[in-house]
C-alpha cells in the first residue's frame, strides 16, 4: 500500500472540515474523491501534503513511514508526493521554463532534471511552444498543464490533483486527463483526484470515495459507483 489514511480529522478554528476519514491508495493507483462544495475535498489533499495541521488521533503513512513526521517540503522531496492546488498557484511573472526549473531546486540529479523537462514538453507540446512566455499570461488550460508539469518535475510517486478540470473547455479537459493517464502509465505515478466533475473523475480512476460534510459515506471501484443509484442521483445528474 502506498498511502494509508486513518481517522483523519481537520478543523479550521471551530469549523470541523473532516470528521475522521479513512482511505488508502495503492502504488500506481488512480483514486478519486467526489463530493459537493464544502464537503472537505481540498482539505483532504491539504492534509496529505501537510499544508494543514491534523487533529488528534489522525494517522497517515506513506510506504509504511509516518507521514506526520514529515514537514510539507520533505513530503515532496523525500516522499515524492506533490500537490497541484485548485487555482494552480503558478509564479505568474516567471516564464514557463522558470516555473519548471523552480520546481526542481531541491533536486540534486541535475542531468535527470533536463531529461524530465524534455518529458514535460513531450507530454504537453503546448508548453514547449510557450516556454519563454510569462505563465500568468497563458490561458487557463495552459496554466493547468504547467501546474501538472511542475508537479511532475518535483516528485512523482503520488500526485494530488485539486479540480484539474476547473475552467477548461471539454477538449482541453480531455487533453489534460490524457496527459495524466500517460504520466500514470509511464511513470507509475499514483493519483489522488478530487473533482466536482464526478463522471469524468470516476471514468478516469479505478476506485472512488464519496465525501459528504467531512465524512466518507461510500467507497467502491469506480465502475460500481458510476452505476450506484444514489451516486447517480446526487452526483451524476440522474
Ligand atoms: P469545493 O468543492 O467548494 O472546493 P471542498 O470539498 O474542497 O469544496 P474544502 O475547501 O475542503 O471543501 O472545505 C471544507 C470546509 O472547510 C468548508 O466548510 C469550508 O468553508 C471550510 N474551510 C476550508 N478552508 C478554510 C479556511 N482556511 N478557514 C476556515 N474554513 C475553511
Amino acid at each position: 500500500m502506498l498511502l494509508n489514511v486513518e481517522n483523519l480529522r481537520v478543523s479550521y478554528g471551530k469549523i470541523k472540515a473532516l470528521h475522521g476519514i479513512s482511505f488508502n491508495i495503492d502504488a500506481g493507483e488512480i483514486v478519486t474523491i467526489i463530493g459537493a462544495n464544502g464537503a472537505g475535498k481540498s482539505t483532504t489533499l491539504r492534509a496529505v501534503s501537510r499544508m494543514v495541521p491534523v487533529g488528534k488521533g489522525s494517522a497517515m503513512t506513506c510506504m509504511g513511514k509516518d507521514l506526520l513526521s514529515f514537514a510539507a517540503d520533505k513530503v515532496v522531496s523525500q516522499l515524492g508526493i506533490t500537490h497541484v492546488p485548485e487555482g494552480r498557484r503558478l509564479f505568474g511573472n516567471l516564464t514557463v521554463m522558470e516555473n519548471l526549473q523552480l520546481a526542481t531546486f531541491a533536486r540534486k540529479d541535475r542531468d535527470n532534471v533536463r531529461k524530465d523537462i524534455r518529458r514535460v514538453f513531450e507530454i504537453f507540446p503546448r508548453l514547449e511552444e510557450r516556454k519563454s512566455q510569462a505563465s500568468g499570461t497563458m490561458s487557463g488550460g495552459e496554466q493547468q498543464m504547467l501546474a501538472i508539469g511542475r508537479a511532475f518535475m518535483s516528485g512523482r510517486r503520488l500526485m494530488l490533483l485539486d479540480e484539474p478540470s476547473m475552467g477548461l473547455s471539454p477538449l482541453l479537459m480531455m487533453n489534460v486527463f490524457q496527459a495524466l493517464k500517460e504520466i500514470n502509465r509511464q511513470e507509475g505515478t499514483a493519483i489522488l483526484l478530487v473533482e466536482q466533475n464526478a463522471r469524468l473523475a470516476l471514468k478516469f480512476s479505478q476506485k472512488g470515495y464519496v465525501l459528504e460534510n467531512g465524512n466518507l459515506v461510500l467507497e467502491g471501484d469506480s465502475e460500481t459507483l458510476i452505476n450506484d443509484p444514489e451516486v447517480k442521483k446526487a452526483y451524476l445528474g440522474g
Side-chain angles (χ1 to χ4, degrees), residues 76 82-85 87-92 94-104 107 120 124 127 135 143-156 159 183:
V76 182
T82 55
H83 187 167
V84 183
R88 294 152 203 151
R89 315 255 169 81
L90 299 167
F91 295 94
L94 300 187
T95 65
V96 167
M97 193 59 140
E98 287 164 344
N99 267 282
L100 290 175
Q101 282 164 342
L102 202 61
T104 68
R107 284 178 54 173
V120 170
F124 296 115
L127 292 182
S135 65
Q143 292 191 31
Q144 187 61 269
M145 292 175 196
L146 179 55
I148 293 167
R150 204 174 55 168
F152 181 89
M153 296 301 299
S154 49
R156 66 193 70 143
M159 261 188 207
I183 292 172

Side-chain angles (χ1 to χ4, degrees), residues 12 15 17 35-44 46 86 162-163 196:
Y12 299 100
I15 298 169
N37 287 117
K41 301 184 297 298
S42 301
T43 301
T44 305
R46 282 185 212 127
E86 207 176 345
D162 201 340
E163 309 256 358
Q196 286 203 46

Side-chain angles (χ1 to χ4, degrees), residues 45-71:
L45 299 192
R46 282 185 212 127
V48 174
S49 59
R50 306 282 290 124
M51 311 294 267
V52 291
V54 303
K56 268 210 181 86
S58 308
M60 293 196 282
T61 57
C62 179
M63 298 175 301
K65 294 182 184 139
D66 179 11
L67 189 63
L68 297 174
S69 68
F70 290 77

Side-chain angles (χ1 to χ4, degrees), residues 5-51:
V5 173
E6 300 278 348
N7 194 30
L8 175 62
R9 296 170 189 278
V10 176
S11 300
Y12 299 100
K14 288 204 175 83
I15 298 169
K16 289 194 166 72
L18 295 176
H19 300 282
I21 64 169
S22 301
F23 62 95
N24 58 70
I25 303 176
D26 279 334
E29 195 174 31
I30 304 182
V31 176
T32 201
I33 298 179
I34 60 174
N37 287 117
K41 301 184 297 298
S42 301
T43 301
T44 305
L45 299 192
R46 282 185 212 127
V48 174
S49 59
R50 306 282 290 124
M51 311 294 267

